Every structure is written in structure tokens, then in C-alpha cells.
Amino acid sequence: MTENRQRPFEGMDLRALDNGTGGENLRFTGYASVTNTPYEMEDFLGPYTEVIRGGAFAASLAAGADVPFKVNHGGLTLARTRSGTMRLAEDSRGLHVEADLDPRNPDVQALRSAMERGDLDEMSFAFRVNAQEWSPDWSQRDITDVDLHKGDVSAVNFGANPATAGAVLRSHDVAAAFLALRDGQMPPETAQLLRTALAGAIPEVTEGADSADLSHFATRLRALNF
């Protein structure tokens, strides 16, 4: 399975709720993903369209995926499905997030300030691809099943992450190798090993890439006359 991050979707809200003791709790709501809505991605081989299809989250949610809520996919966990402080559900729009945040937490205070000022108004999520389909010309990727377990949902500055092969490969080392191959910066013997790996003869060279990803990269690289 491969790690991925989807581009941003708006519609976040953070509301103060009376906790019944004179204080307040904060409830965050938003959509980490909107399904059946194409968005543009790009890797080093060029742009393509990506779509998260409806139902893609069903199996992972049903299996009780352990998912944290974060800011910019990093830092301290602010809520979590396992602890019951966050709830995820897929509806007709997409992946809905509802998280109970602790207003005493300095990171929550910073998030609240950024949202109230309008400086932070997008969401993103990290996940692994279980099933996908590419169009015959490799211009569109339809993701039909994702694994949210130990990924995350995040409030983010900018949610799109189109710059790296991490969109389809888990290994950054493999991504760097593809870039070196494309740019002619790889020793001939190493380049030949990678080309052989693309044909599936040396799978350990591309550890972290599943067969669909490998086929995708092989086809697109060959289209560039590699």
C-alpha cells in the first residue's frame, strides 16, 4: 500500500460548547475529503486527475481505524478515534470529521486563533491506497478503497501534496531514484537495474510499490522513452 495526501477541501468549523460546569469544550467539524470530485495532482512525470470514489472509506471505518487529528499532518495529536475524542463517518459528501478538542491545550489555542482569523481553513488526510484504477491513458486515477489506520486527518495551511512520487510510492528513496533516472544523473548500471525492476524482475528494488503502482510508473516512464 502507498501513502498519499489529498488536496484541500473547505468547510471547517470550530465551536465552543458549554461543558455544564461553567467552562467550555471545543468541537471541530469539517470534511477531510470530498468524494466523487476530481482534483488535480502532479508528480515528476506530469499532471493527472485524481478522484476518491464514494465508499472508499467504508471498509477502513468499519474495521475501527485508529486515526489522529493533527495540524499540518504533524505535531501533537489533538484528538483520536481510539480515545473516542474524534468521530469519522463517510456520508454523501465525503469523509466527515468531528473532534472534541481541549481548550487548555496550547496547540488547540493556536488552531483556534488561526481559524478565527481565517488563516487556516482547509483540510487534508493521510492514507494508504488499497484499491485504485487508472484510465487507459494514465491521465486519471480513481481511488476506490483506502486504509485510514494510522494515517491522519488534519487542519492544514495547504492540503495539496502533488510534488512527489509519494502520491503513488511509499519509499522516498525509490522516488529519488526515478528522478535521477529521468534527469540522466544515474550510473548506467544502476539505471539498468531500475529499468529491470520496472519490468518486475527485481521487486525488492522497488520495495513499497505495489503492482498497480509499478505498472503505472513503468508505462509512464516508457512513454518518455526510458
Side-chain angles (χ1 to χ4, degrees), residues 100-117:
D100 300 325
L101 307 183
D102 184 351
R104 300 170 299 174
N105 187 322
D107 291 334
V108 171
Q109 294 169 12
L111 172 63
R112 182 179 191 175
S113 174
M115 289 183 62
E116 288 177 347
R117 285 165 46 92

Side-chain angles (χ1 to χ4, degrees), residues 120-141:
L120 196 69
D121 62 359
E122 299 176 350
M123 289 201 73
S124 178
F125 73 115
F127 61 100
R128 299 175 186 84
V129 176
N130 283 340
Q132 62 185 341
E133 297 176 0
W134 283 92
S135 62
D137 62 357
W138 301 99
S139 65
Q140 179 165 315
R141 182 193 196 198

Side-chain angles (χ1 to χ4, degrees), residues 71-225:
V71 176
N72 286 321
H73 301 288
L76 186 69
T77 294
L78 304 183
R80 189 171 177 176
T81 54
R82 190 175 73 176
S83 68
T85 55
M86 182 170 70
R87 295 156 295 281
L88 300 177
E90 183 177 1
D91 60 23
S92 59
R93 184 182 179 191
L95 181 62
H96 185 259
V97 180
E98 183 180 81
D100 300 325
L101 307 183
D102 184 351
R104 300 170 299 174
N105 187 322
D107 291 334
V108 171
Q109 294 169 12
L111 172 63
R112 182 179 191 175
S113 174
M115 289 183 62
E116 288 177 347
R117 285 165 46 92
D119 298 331
L120 196 69
D121 62 359
E122 299 176 350
M123 289 201 73
S124 178
F125 73 115
F127 61 100
R128 299 175 186 84
V129 176
N130 283 340
Q132 62 185 341
E133 297 176 0
W134 283 92
S135 62
D137 62 357
W138 301 99
S139 65
Q140 179 165 315
R141 182 193 196 198
D142 285 14
I143 297 176
T144 56
D145 183 29
V146 304
D147 183 4
L148 294 167
H149 185 61
K150 295 187 178 180
D152 70 75
V153 295
S154 287
V156 294
N157 298 330
F158 301 104
N161 185 22
T164 72
V168 286
L169 288 178
R170 180 170 55 194
S171 170
H172 294 294
D173 292 336
V174 174
F178 280 123
L179 282 170
L181 177 61
R182 182 198 66 177
D183 296 336
Q185 298 175 349
M186 182 179 292
E189 62 274 15
T190 307
Q192 183 56 48
L193 282 173
L194 184 55
R195 291 190 182 95
T196 304
L198 284 169
I202 311 178
E204 63 269 25
V205 174
T206 54
E207 181 180 1
D210 64 26
S211 59
D213 291 332
L214 197 59
S215 175
H216 161 59
F217 268 86
T219 300
R220 296 184 73 186
L221 284 170
R222 287 165 187 156
L224 295 176
N225 296 320

Side-chain angles (χ1 to χ4, degrees), residues 22-84:
E24 67 175 16
N25 294 325
L26 292 177
R27 178 161 295 169
F28 175 97
T29 58
Y31 281 87
S33 171
V34 171
T35 52
N36 300 317
T37 301
Y39 52 92
E40 297 308 308
M41 296 289 286
E42 185 171 358
D43 58 24
F44 64 85
L45 293 174
Y48 60 93
T49 299
E50 190 166 271
V51 184
I52 305 290
R53 291 300 179 187
F57 304 101
S60 188
L61 293 176
D66 183 10
V67 186
F69 175 82
K70 296 186 175 185
V71 176
N72 286 321
H73 301 288
L76 186 69
T77 294
L78 304 183
R80 189 171 177 176
T81 54
R82 190 175 73 176
S83 68

